[in-house]
Amino acid sequence: MTFQDLMAGPPPTHLPEDPAAGLLDGSVDPAAVVRDHPESPLAWATLAERALADSAVDDVTAYAYARVGYHRSLDLLRRNGWKGHGPVPWEHEPNRGFLRALAALSIAATRIGETPEAERCAEFLRDSSPTGYDRLLPGT
């Protein structure tokens, strides 16, 4: 007889390959990729990261891009069995769009003064993927 370990957490969530991933190698503008693949967390995360890196782009714009990426990620996670918590490992490359959007949202929230949200996002990232947290939000 086998017993389920009731103390174990949920299994890791492994998202499917993002159809936009191959387009985001630097040769195509992320905004064009978003227009073709608005469901892509990776495309929105890339757009948010570029906005955060460009001092000419308002931080509110970066925040909006990151928030869309985050919400697209939540939809995708739920469709793939995620129940609102549990590991989303960095090591599984298709998960990185979600993790990058979450990190970008934390950074953008900090920049617009939304400290409680920035802290929640950073904690969510750490809980989802300690490796992703270390790579995306080092020193926080």
Side-chain angles (χ1 to χ4, degrees):
M1 181 185 287
T2 23
F3 296 95
Q4 180 182 2
D5 181 355
L6 298 177
M7 297 303 288
T13 300
H14 294 102
L15 295 174
E17 187 68 33
D18 189 317
L23 301 171
L24 294 164
D25 60 4
S27 62
V28 180
D29 177 18
V33 177
V34 162
R35 284 184 189 92
D36 290 339
H37 297 281
E39 75 289 351
S40 169
L42 183 59
W44 286 104
T46 302
L47 201 55
E49 290 166 346
R50 291 229 180 138
L52 287 166
D54 185 345
S55 61
V57 177
D58 185 355
D59 290 331
V60 172
T61 300
Y63 176 88
Y65 294 152
R67 180 151 283 292
V68 172
Y70 169 72
H71 282 284
R72 292 295 182 145
S73 296
L74 292 179
D75 294 342
L76 187 59
L77 285 164
R78 289 182 186 113
R79 284 194 308 269
N80 284 277
W82 185 74
K83 302 293 185 208
H85 66 284
V88 183
W90 172 265
E91 293 76 13
H92 182 68
E93 194 159 338
N95 289 348
R96 293 182 185 179
F98 159 64
L99 299 168
R100 287 171 54 187
L102 188 54
L105 185 55
S106 179
I107 293 165
T110 296
R111 290 190 185 177
I112 67 169
E114 184 63 54
T115 304
E117 180 173 31
E119 291 170 353
R120 279 191 306 273
C121 290
E123 183 177 333
F124 187 11
L125 177 59
R126 187 181 326 107
D127 291 346
S128 297
S129 174
T131 302
Y133 177 85
D134 290 343
R135 289 182 184 235
L136 298 168
L137 297 177
T140 52

